[in-house]
Amino acid sequence: MEPTQFLEAQFEPDLVAQIKANSSPKTFKANDVIMDIGLPVQFMPIILKGAIKILQEDDEGEELLLYFLEKGETCAMTLQCCLGNAKSQIRAIAEVDTDVLMVPVKFMDEWAAKYSSWRKFVFESYHERFVEMMQAIDSIAFQNLDDRLSNYLLEKRKLHENDIVQITHQEIAYDLHSSRVVVSRLLKKLENRGDIKLHRNSIDLSNL
DNA sequence: CCATTAAGATACT
DNA sequence: AGTATCTTAATGG
């Protein structure tokens, strides 16, 4: 299937042509840093394949996982950067091997004025990310780590399209803002329940 | 072998 | 739930 097929499904033919003519396809390997905090935002990525992890950094330099972006989605932070300050507030890391269309930000204004489907796309992106961030806040404030870990693992399995996820307890701890020992404890609990199987550097999620 | 590092264990806050 | 510390196990030279 054409990776850009979803463009035709939601944008005017005219706009699809504009997008194709003015954006460059780019490929990232898993764990590549696509955008970093403080860097100028020159492109808006539209994801064709794969997934991107978006995170913030707190005052101590600790990372905070905001959300994952998937196929057909774009980063609302980029949109915001087009309106005012051009520096990125976030770090974006390829979660798996990922293909994106890099759209130069200079087209944002023009397309928003000209194409209603683009305005809709931008608004909906904002809305989706807003909802995701609300959920991220909610889960940190009110959910126990137990549930957050389970949700995190389910998300991983979906994004990687694989029951066996390559990850260390330490990396999970960073993403969930917890410590390695605590994550190990909770993972062991899940294993004893038969939900997962633990290995060095990987976790088998086929029974989760 | 040995060095490195992920993960397990224990004890304390 | 989190920190500190020690032990054990896997991995790669």
Side-chain angles (χ1 to χ4, degrees), chain A residues 160-171:
Chain A
H160 289 252
E161 295 172 330
N162 195 332
D163 282 351
I164 298 177
V165 176
Q166 294 280 130
I167 195 163
T168 66
H169 299 184
Q170 182 65 70
E171 287 173 310

Side-chain angles (χ1 to χ4, degrees), chain A residues 132-208:
Chain A
E132 293 239 28
M133 302 240 308
M134 294 293 276
Q135 283 168 355
I137 292 168
D138 175 83
S139 77
I140 292 165
F142 305 118
Q143 259 184 63
N144 51 38
L145 194 53
D146 223 297
D147 291 339
R148 281 210 288 148
L149 178 61
S150 297
N151 291 334
Y152 176 85
L153 293 175
L154 288 169
E155 187 90 36
K156 280 275 176 188
R157 182 173 68 181
K158 191 178 83 187
L159 297 179
H160 289 252
E161 295 172 330
N162 195 332
D163 282 351
I164 298 177
V165 176
Q166 294 280 130
I167 195 163
T168 66
H169 299 184
Q170 182 65 70
E171 287 173 310
I172 298 174
Y174 283 141
D175 280 350
L176 296 183
H177 251 216
S178 181
S179 67
R180 202 273 304 164
V181 182
V182 173
V183 169
S184 290
R185 272 206 288 257
L186 295 177
L187 285 171
K188 181 57 74 182
K189 214 164 74 183
L190 288 173
E191 186 180 43
N192 289 335
R193 214 189 296 160
D195 292 345
I196 62 175
K197 282 201 198 83
L198 299 175
H199 309 283
R200 187 187 172 90
N201 285 313
S202 70
I203 303 175
D204 184 341
L205 303 175
S206 40
N207 293 323
L208 191 66

Side-chain angles (χ1 to χ4, degrees), chain A residues 20-147:
Chain A
K20 286 186 173 173
N22 294 299
S23 65
S24 48
K26 204 149 184 188
T27 300
F28 294 97
K29 287 244 173 290
N31 297 318
D32 279 357
V33 176
I34 297 171
M35 174 57 56
D36 212 339
I37 297 157
L39 294 180
V41 180
Q42 286 154 332
F43 298 95
M44 169 186 151
I46 299 177
I47 298 168
L48 301 178
K49 195 196 110 206
I52 298 176
K53 177 164 88 175
I54 304 295
L55 43 96
Q56 256 267 33
E57 213 169 61
D58 69 11
D59 39 18
E60 269 113 49
E62 291 280 299
E63 74 169 65
L64 171 61
L65 176 63
L66 295 181
Y67 46 73
F68 291 99
L69 293 173
E70 294 175 66
K71 181 184 171 179
E73 299 181 329
T74 191
C75 184
M77 290 299 169
T78 324
L79 303 169
Q80 170 248 330
C81 288
C82 303
L83 300 175
N85 59 327
K87 293 278 194 291
S88 175
Q89 304 290 112
I90 53 89
R91 177 173 299 146
I93 296 173
E95 176 69 17
V96 293
D97 290 354
T98 299
D99 296 337
V100 300
L101 275 181
M102 300 295 256
V103 183
V105 296
K106 63 175 177 178
F107 292 104
M108 302 296 100
D109 268 351
E110 187 189 324
W111 291 353
K114 212 163 156 192
Y115 304 105
S116 68
S117 65
W118 186 258
R119 288 195 293 278
K120 186 158 171 278
F121 178 60
V122 170
F123 268 111
E124 281 177 357
S125 297
Y126 262 122
H127 179 249
E128 280 165 29
R129 286 323 122 209
F130 186 74
V131 170
E132 293 239 28
M133 302 240 308
M134 294 293 276
Q135 283 168 355
I137 292 168
D138 175 83
S139 77
I140 292 165
F142 305 118
Q143 259 184 63
N144 51 38
L145 194 53
D146 223 297
D147 291 339

